[in-house]
Amino acid sequence: MGESIMEATILKWLKKEGDSVELDETVLEIATDKVDSEIPSPAKGILTKILHKENEVVAIGKIIAYIETSNSLNDAVSNPTITTTLPIEKISVQQDSIPKVKVVNELIKSSDSRFYSPLVKSIAKQENINQLQLDQIQGSGLKGRVTKRDILSYIEKPDSIPVDTTQLNSTSQISSPAITISGNVEIIEMDRMRKMIADHMVMSKQTSPHVTSFVEVDMTNAVLWREKVKEQFAKKYNQKITFTPIFIEAVAKAIKDFPLINVSVKGTQIIRKLDINIGMATALPSGNLIVPVIKSADRLNLAGITYAVNDLASRARDNKLKPEEIQDGTFTLTNVGSFGNVMGTPIINQPQVAILATGIIKKKPVVIETPTGDLIGIRHMMYLSLSYDHRVVDGSLGGRFIRKVADYLEQFDLSQSI
């Protein structure tokens, strides 16, 4: 499901035990991150055993069911030994070695408030991480669950996570203050997507020291050009052009000028992304947000970006995005102006290091400098706000980058053709 995906939720089994399945026939539906997907059968045969029920969260690489094929029947006669696969090593072991694995995992125990997958337990054993240390790792998975990424991050930099040997669950006690419910209230259970958004936002704030810089932009040229060409654009490309493609084009150009804004952090390493994949935060009818990604945005012209923006936004609202269409983003844009907001201080979309918010475009009286003197005129003005990870993006880089985005927007060619 992609290297950034560590676990999935089983939404619905479309087949039951004993049902026959065809090759590539849909067997179940799963949810990874914010996208629902249909999973096809890898073989033709009989679904003999389902190991995980609906609504269970399963680590990627873990066996969820067995399909009996004609080949497996023949193998069973000649070699009755059962094999299983260990996700951490991706090797096959004989049945008589399975108890040894169970003995290893018994060293780490789950509790009602703290569940550890077999994959996490295996890594903990290999890296000599004890129960006390594991219990204090901040989990970024569903309901605070520790994922493979969390434990590997801890292994790379264990000193970043304090271990309180006197209080096993001190982290959870600090982060979960008591709430008194009284009076006339309504209790609303978070849906699956809202829970994942909440976990992701908390994890981002805990991971990156956020700094936000602001710039005011004169959008007059872009506004006048869009107003002039929007009907012709719609007739030629059958697409409605909004300001989002114009923003994305400017961001892609600025990233090429300042490539160190297009990075991720792994321990003490800075991983520079050579592809410019820009995510755009999209509001859903439920009120949640999803971030589809425009891949290689720097290689697209304005018409190509417009098509990608409209297509992804439309399918996002209809819940028809594919898992790969919300993965591999290197930078994110969020348009808070679409809600009538002047500006915002967005939270970084991990593992990226920066996110840009565009505010509402409003007419304002401003001072215009001319060769013959200063004038006061009515211009279309907008605020940009850039939140960035101060571990690797300092004020100089962040400030110059957002200023460069503003320059590209202000220098928009009013006479360019479509």
Side-chain angles (χ1 to χ4, degrees):
M1 302 306 300
E3 63 182 56
S4 63
I5 303 299
M6 299 301 172
E7 59 188 14
T9 301
I10 296 177
L11 297 180
K12 183 179 182 181
W13 281 100
L14 303 178
K15 295 286 185 177
K16 61 181 183 295
E17 291 181 359
D19 285 354
S20 61
V21 293
E22 299 293 327
L23 176 65
D24 292 331
E25 181 181 5
T26 301
V27 179
L28 73 156
E29 296 175 354
I30 68 168
T32 59
D33 197 0
K34 303 173 187 176
V35 173
D36 299 345
S37 302
E38 295 180 344
I39 302 302
S41 172
K44 177 181 179 180
I46 304 295
L47 183 62
T48 57
K49 185 67 174 177
I50 293 176
L51 302 180
H52 294 278
K53 300 178 181 179
E54 293 177 0
N55 297 319
E56 286 191 28
V57 179
V58 187
I60 295 301
K62 191 171 183 179
I63 296 172
I64 58 173
Y66 287 102
I67 295 175
E68 187 178 86
T69 66
S70 57
N71 289 334
S72 63
L73 288 172
N74 295 331
D75 292 342
V77 174
S78 60
N79 182 12
T81 304
I82 300 172
T83 62
T84 185
T85 300
L86 294 179
I88 185 63
E89 295 292 347
K90 289 186 171 58
I91 59 173
S92 294
V93 295
Q94 300 304 314
Q95 188 179 28
D96 58 8
S97 70
I98 294 176
K100 297 179 182 178
V101 178
K102 291 183 178 179
V103 171
V104 168
N105 287 341
E106 284 175 359
L107 298 175
I108 300 294
K109 297 181 179 180
S110 298
S111 64
D112 292 340
S113 61
R114 197 76 169 171
F115 172 80
Y116 300 114
S117 67
L119 178 60
V120 169
K121 291 179 180 179
S122 298
I123 297 174
K125 172 59 181 176
Q126 290 184 354
E127 300 295 334
N128 296 318
I129 297 175
N130 60 36
Q131 180 88 48
L132 183 63
Q133 293 170 308
L134 194 59
D135 284 343
Q136 296 209 14
I137 295 176
Q138 181 68 41
S140 62
L142 187 66
K143 296 181 180 179
R145 183 170 296 175
V146 175
T147 66
K148 177 183 176 183
R149 181 186 300 171
D150 298 328
I151 192 170
L152 292 180
S153 297
Y154 173 74
I155 291 168
E156 291 175 358
K157 199 172 182 181
D159 293 340
S160 64
I161 302 179
V163 177
D164 185 351
T165 58
T166 63
Q167 197 169 11
L168 189 61
N169 293 318
S170 60
T171 303
S172 60
Q173 291 176 2
I174 293 173
S175 60
S176 302
I179 298 176
T180 301
I181 299 176
S182 61
N184 189 17
V185 300
E186 177 186 5
I187 298 176
I188 302 173
E189 181 67 25
M190 290 185 184
D191 59 23
R192 177 177 55 85
M193 183 178 290
R194 176 51 55 186
K195 290 176 183 177
M196 287 188 287
I197 292 173
D199 290 340
H200 193 64
M201 294 299 98
V202 171
M203 179 270 290
S204 181
K205 293 292 285 187
Q206 292 175 338
T207 300
S208 301
H210 281 56
V211 176
T212 306
S213 295
F214 303 87
V215 166
E216 191 173 20
V217 187
D218 187 343
M219 289 289 295
T220 304
N221 282 3
V223 170
L224 296 178
W225 179 84
R226 176 180 172 272
E227 187 65 28
K228 180 178 67 174
V229 305
K230 63 182 182 180
E231 291 184 4
Q232 182 185 355
F233 194 97
K235 290 179 181 178
K236 182 174 182 178
Y237 297 109
N238 196 30
Q239 295 290 321
K240 178 182 178 181
I241 184 168
T242 63
F243 287 106
T244 299
I246 296 173
F247 298 149
I248 291 176
E249 182 185 53
V251 168
K253 290 179 179 179
I255 289 175
K256 297 185 78 170
D257 294 329
F258 296 95
L260 288 181
I261 208 79
N262 203 53
V263 304
S264 292
V265 180
K266 182 179 180 182
T268 57
Q269 297 176 328
I270 299 175
I271 303 173
R272 180 186 163 195
K273 306 296 181 66
L274 302 182
D275 294 321
I276 298 177
N277 302 332
I278 300 179
M280 57 174 194
T282 304
L284 301 177
S286 63
N288 293 322
L289 289 175
I290 195 168
V291 186
V293 178
I294 299 173
K295 306 291 178 65
S296 301
D298 58 314
R299 301 178 186 177
L300 300 175
N301 60 17
L302 199 55
I305 296 175
T306 300
Y307 178 83
V309 166
N310 293 345
D311 175 57
L312 290 171
S314 175
R315 289 192 291 112
R317 288 189 287 268
D318 293 336
N319 195 29
K320 293 182 179 179
L321 289 176
K322 300 175 183 178
E324 59 269 21
E325 290 175 327
I326 63 167
Q327 296 176 8
D328 302 323
T330 62
F331 187 95
T332 297
L333 171 76
T334 178
N335 185 3
V336 301
S338 62
F339 311 118
N341 299 156
V342 175
M343 64 178 70
T345 54
I347 297 176
I348 297 167
N349 186 15
Q350 299 291 334
Q352 301 165 25
V353 299
I355 178 172
L356 182 74
T358 56
I360 190 172
I361 301 174
K362 298 184 67 174
K363 290 182 180 180
K364 294 172 61 176
V366 297
V367 175
I368 304 172
E369 297 180 357
T370 70
T372 57
D374 296 340
L375 303 173
I376 295 178
I378 304 299
R379 308 291 288 180
H380 297 266
M381 305 300 292
M382 178 186 73
Y383 283 103
L384 294 177
S385 49
L386 179 76
S387 292
Y388 47 93
D389 187 337
H390 213 11
R391 293 178 301 170
V392 291
V393 181
D394 56 25
S396 173
L397 174 58
R400 286 185 296 153
F401 173 79
I402 191 175
R403 183 61 254 174
K404 194 65 174 180
V405 175
D407 290 342
Y408 281 123
L409 292 173
E410 291 183 342
Q411 295 163 9
F412 192 88
D413 186 1
L414 187 59
S415 62
Q416 69 175 286
S417 63
I418 62 170

